[in-house]
Amino acid sequence: MWIGHAVSALTAKPFAPSVPLSVLALAAALPDALSFVFSLLGFESFDIDEDLVKRGCYPYVADYPYSHSLVGMAASGVALAVGYLFLSGRKVTLKDEAVLLAVTLGHFFIQPPSHRPNVDLSPALGNTITPGNMGASLYDHPLALFITECLLLLGAIGVYTTFSPLATRVGYKREGYMARLWAVVAYFAAQEAHFMFSPALPPETRWIHAPLFLFKVAVNSWLLGKLETS
């Protein structure tokens, strides 16, 4: 999933209204962000596989046991929650910390429907594409995955706009700014279409794809944050 991670952040916002939406978005995409950082550092990798290019979207064979195992996500979620506690400069409740951890861990539980069988619990178990791992392979059906994720995004927007306090929605609630909400939705839908249907070019993943994806994570987190700030 790609924009599916924004779904987690938007849905979590009513449960942690004092946590910036941009931070929740970062928590949701944190395993991806770490995998790209680890790829740049040489700890993990993801490489284009020509067979997967023919099968559907996300044509990468990924070796990311630290960032994408359940144990790894728990560790990164705890690290983010602790970092937010000490660096936010505001009162942070136990509920806020729990929501941040849950959003990060949620990344693991939304992987099995879309990923090929490379989802596992622990770094020690590995996460190459093998029949013993979890993954329903919706990546091999990009149109179905695109429709599913766009519908989930619209549902999450509904949850956020209905149940989040008004003070957390001033970015688009100010007079004349309603277009901002739908511009963000349109941007995410366009990004999802690019992710699903465009070829993965050029073939260099470590020094081109990883920084590009990392930049997208940062932009997406910032954009979601603009829904609640001026």
Side-chain angles (χ1 to χ4, degrees):
M1 302 184 85
W2 184 246
I3 65 169
H5 303 314
V7 171
S8 300
L10 290 163
T11 306
K13 183 62 180 177
F15 299 95
S18 64
V19 178
L21 191 51
S22 57
V23 175
L24 290 170
L26 176 61
L30 184 60
D32 286 341
L34 287 178
S35 74
F36 303 136
V37 172
F38 290 165
S39 177
L40 287 168
L41 295 175
F43 300 143
E44 296 184 341
S45 64
F46 64 111
D47 299 294
I48 294 175
D49 183 292
E50 291 302 323
D51 180 58
L52 296 181
V53 170
K54 301 170 187 175
R55 286 168 54 181
C57 64
Y58 198 78
Y60 302 103
V61 173
D63 178 24
Y64 45 23
Y66 306 110
S67 62
H68 274 69
S69 65
L70 181 60
V71 172
M73 291 185 199
S76 61
V78 168
L80 177 64
V82 171
Y84 180 73
L85 174 65
F86 288 104
L87 299 175
S88 67
R90 65 183 73 192
K91 181 180 179 181
V92 179
T93 67
L94 184 60
K95 183 181 178 182
D96 293 338
E97 296 285 272
V99 169
L100 279 172
L101 177 58
V103 170
T104 305
L105 283 174
H107 192 112
F108 180 85
F109 295 101
I110 65 175
Q111 288 182 131
S114 56
H115 279 226
R116 300 177 180 99
N118 69 341
V119 181
D120 223 322
L121 301 177
S122 165
L125 298 175
N127 56 4
T128 54
I129 298 177
T130 60
N133 287 341
M134 294 177 282
S137 300
L138 268 178
Y139 278 154
D140 293 339
H141 307 280
L143 180 59
L145 186 56
F146 173 77
I147 293 171
T148 300
E149 291 211 32
C150 286
L151 290 175
L152 287 173
L153 179 64
L154 290 175
I157 287 289
V159 171
Y160 166 65
T161 57
T162 302
F163 298 107
S164 292
L166 181 59
T168 67
R169 295 182 281 127
V170 296
Y172 74 92
K173 273 293 188 179
R174 292 179 300 153
E175 185 176 354
Y177 277 77
M178 180 58 73
R180 177 181 290 187
L181 174 65
W182 298 112
V184 169
V185 171
Y187 170 80
F188 274 96
Q191 191 177 102
E192 182 78 350
H194 181 267
F195 181 80
M196 294 295 167
F197 306 118
S198 296
L201 297 172
E204 171 57 50
T205 55
R206 181 178 183 182
W207 302 113
I208 297 180
H209 292 221
L212 180 59
F213 278 129
L214 193 59
F215 175 74
K216 287 182 177 180
V217 169
V219 170
N220 290 354
S221 299
W222 175 80
L223 272 179
L224 282 183
K226 296 304 289 183
L227 294 179
E228 65 175 347
T229 62
S230 56

